[in-house]
Amino acid sequence: YKKDLQAKGLEVVFVSSDNDEKAFAEYFAEQPWLALDYADRSNKNHLSKACGVEGIPSLAIIDPVDFSIINKEGREAASSDPTGDALPWRPKPVRDLASDGPGMLRETPTVLVFCETSDAAEQGAIEDALRPLGERYFEEGKGKGEDPEVAFMTVKSAAGLSGRIRDMMSLPSLPPMAHEHPLEA
């Protein structure tokens, strides 16, 4: 955290949902960042509501200039970019299931484009075609202080959640992929 993220301007403020102050103190003693005073439950509740916290752990990225929320999915952003190269982790208008995670897939109607068998050029063209729509819905939601009404996501890899989502949507399975090192007869 200190070497990569804090050095690039990210400051983490821990807002505890612990059941008691003792549990908070024990956990916070091991952390390198700042914390909201445990006794300040009123501000904790306001922050949780403003940041859309529905479970823990949760990480919201807040703009230090105007305190607007940049990204409610900061935990996924930090996990996929631990050195902070893409700070401040603004949401992508088109996410990829494998590299960006499911994001708001469960909460927001999402256009999923399954393109696992397409080559990289075709996958890029698909993402480029979706980007203006993703940007439009993102900006409309931001203007209303809400999440986008519709999200956009590509599924470029058959790995991970792709198969489960295909099953849930009763889509055909992909044929087995050729093994990188086929067994010799």
Side-chain angles (χ1 to χ4, degrees), residues 40-182:
D40 193 351
R41 299 287 83 191
S42 176
N43 277 325
K44 180 262 183 214
N45 292 332
H46 289 301
L47 284 166
S48 292
K49 183 176 180 182
C51 295
V53 175
E54 295 178 0
I56 57 172
S58 181
L59 177 63
I61 309 300
I62 300 173
D63 189 316
V65 176
D66 64 6
F67 299 104
S68 64
I69 296 172
I70 293 173
N71 192 340
K72 292 181 181 179
E73 303 289 332
R75 188 165 171 241
E76 284 182 11
S79 295
S80 65
D81 181 25
T83 58
D85 294 332
L87 275 170
W89 296 320
R90 296 195 186 283
K92 295 177 182 177
V94 181
R95 296 172 57 102
D96 178 63
L97 181 65
S99 62
D100 301 320
M104 299 183 302
L105 187 61
R106 296 177 79 186
E107 295 87 22
T108 304
T110 303
V111 174
L112 283 165
V113 179
F114 289 85
C115 52
E116 306 102 306
T117 59
S118 300
D119 64 28
E122 190 171 351
Q123 290 175 343
I126 291 167
E127 188 171 335
D128 289 345
L130 292 173
R131 188 173 294 111
L133 288 168
E135 289 170 348
R136 186 181 101 213
Y137 277 96
F138 180 78
E139 289 303 319
E140 285 176 4
K142 185 177 178 183
K144 297 176 189 175
E146 300 172 357
D147 290 332
E149 186 179 345
V150 177
F152 296 84
M153 182 175 290
T154 58
V155 183
K156 298 178 185 175
S157 169
L161 292 174
S162 171
R164 283 185 56 199
I165 292 173
R166 281 181 168 280
D167 287 344
M168 289 169 48
M169 297 175 70
S170 300
L171 295 173
S173 297
L174 290 176
M177 298 188 64
H179 194 277
E180 185 178 343
H181 304 286

